[in-house]
Amino acid sequence: MAEPAKSSPLSDLRIALPSLPLRLQEVGRFVAANDYDATTRSMRDLAAEAGADPAAFTRLAKAIGYSGWDELRAALTEARRPSQTSPFSARAKSRRHGPDADVALITDKLEAEAAGLPRISAHAIAEAARALHDAKRIWISGYRSCRSVAELLNYELRLFRAEQVQLVGASGPDDLDLGAFRPGEAVIVFGFSPYTHASVRVAQAAHHAGATLVAIADSAAAPMAEGADHVLLFEAASSPGFFPSLTGALAIAQSLAAVTFSLGGTTAKKRLQNTEARLAATSTYVSEKG
């Protein structure tokens, strides 16, 4: 006889709500309505937004059968992950019907992208940027779809720190770069579910070398974020469409570049001006007609 399908943590929570004390019902409804935030933000931050005592989240978890908030949070995180065999097609929905169905999909997607951006922590990005500013060298890695985001950050940082920024795997096999990580350097890893083995190897190499690890991911439970010095979270899964969203990752990358440049002061500005002069000398850009 086949085993019954395992219920989801959100289903457990919703079924239990009517039997919970009133205050726990309020906290439970908040978690159910903000399950992404529940997987990415600290219990203290969640409590402040919900207007509740942080201990209420632990009591809620125990009331629905979990040992504590950390176990419930891990279950919520796991439930959001797509099947490893069909991470993208499993997200696909049947085509909507109606004269404006396609426009409605685009509108929903744009609204979801915009809603995810305010959830990114500006303070966390600023702290990570200070670590990049202090680093002797900055290594940047991103695989598959995250490669484009890594390349953008690499390009922006090299405009004013060309000798100190390098894309992992840009000049040869990745393993040669992993062996070159050193203490005092920073390693940035981009990733979202499903996570690549390569991103985990980069994170592990950074740990082994004693470098500062900056993980830019869709979940604090991402395997390449484990033990990271800085974890910068973006929302990937809530946007409709067959493919997760990289909008938040792009916003984080550009914010990191902007703050790192600002921290560089006059030295960074001079290097940027030198880069601009070189680009102008080689006629890289089309001249605008007055």
Side-chain angles (χ1 to χ4, degrees), residues 41-269:
R41 299 176 63 182
S42 71
M43 186 167 62
R44 188 173 298 277
D45 285 348
L46 292 171
E49 185 167 334
D53 183 342
F57 287 81
T58 299
R59 293 197 299 271
L60 172 68
K62 290 182 176 180
I64 62 174
Y66 293 87
S67 62
W69 174 249
D70 287 342
E71 185 180 5
L72 174 54
R73 178 180 176 177
L76 289 168
T77 300
E78 187 63 30
R80 291 181 62 86
R81 291 180 179 170
S83 166
Q84 292 296 308
T85 57
S86 56
F88 309 128
S89 61
R91 289 172 49 87
K93 302 292 190 294
S94 299
R95 188 174 186 274
R96 305 181 188 190
H97 299 288
D100 296 321
D102 297 335
V103 174
L105 173 59
I106 294 169
T107 299
D108 290 347
K109 184 165 179 59
L110 292 176
E111 289 178 351
E113 305 283 5
L117 293 179
R119 297 177 184 139
I120 296 172
S121 172
H123 291 290
I125 295 175
E127 291 176 3
R130 285 190 282 272
L132 299 186
H133 171 67
D134 294 337
K136 299 174 184 176
R137 177 180 290 274
I138 301 171
W139 298 87
I140 306 172
S141 67
Y143 295 90
R144 302 187 70 82
S145 58
C146 287
R147 183 72 173 188
S148 59
V149 190
E151 288 178 344
L152 173 64
L153 180 56
N154 177 68
Y155 174 76
E156 291 194 20
L157 290 177
R158 282 179 60 85
L159 288 173
F160 59 94
R161 288 185 64 171
E163 300 85 4
Q164 301 165 328
V165 179
Q166 187 166 334
L167 194 65
V168 173
S171 58
D174 288 7
D175 58 278
L176 296 180
D177 288 337
L178 304 192
F181 295 168
R182 295 291 182 269
E185 299 179 344
V187 179
I188 302 170
V189 185
F190 288 91
F192 65 84
S193 180
Y195 308 102
T196 64
H197 291 291
S199 66
V200 177
R201 285 194 294 270
V202 171
Q204 291 173 340
H207 281 302
H208 182 73
T212 297
L213 175 61
V214 179
I216 302 175
D218 63 335
S219 170
M224 17 74 68
E226 182 178 351
D229 300 278
H230 302 273
V231 179
L232 309 180
L233 299 173
F234 66 93
E235 187 162 342
S238 66
S239 177
F242 79 96
F243 202 82
S245 171
L246 281 168
T247 299
L250 286 165
I252 290 173
Q254 295 197 286
S255 297
L256 278 175
V259 178
T260 305
F261 174 75
S262 178
L263 292 170
T266 56
T267 299
K269 185 175 182 179

Side-chain angles (χ1 to χ4, degrees), residues 5-20:
K6 186 177 180 181
S7 63
S8 73
L10 283 180
S11 295
D12 293 339
L13 175 58
R14 293 186 176 110
I15 291 171
L17 276 177
S19 63
L20 296 177

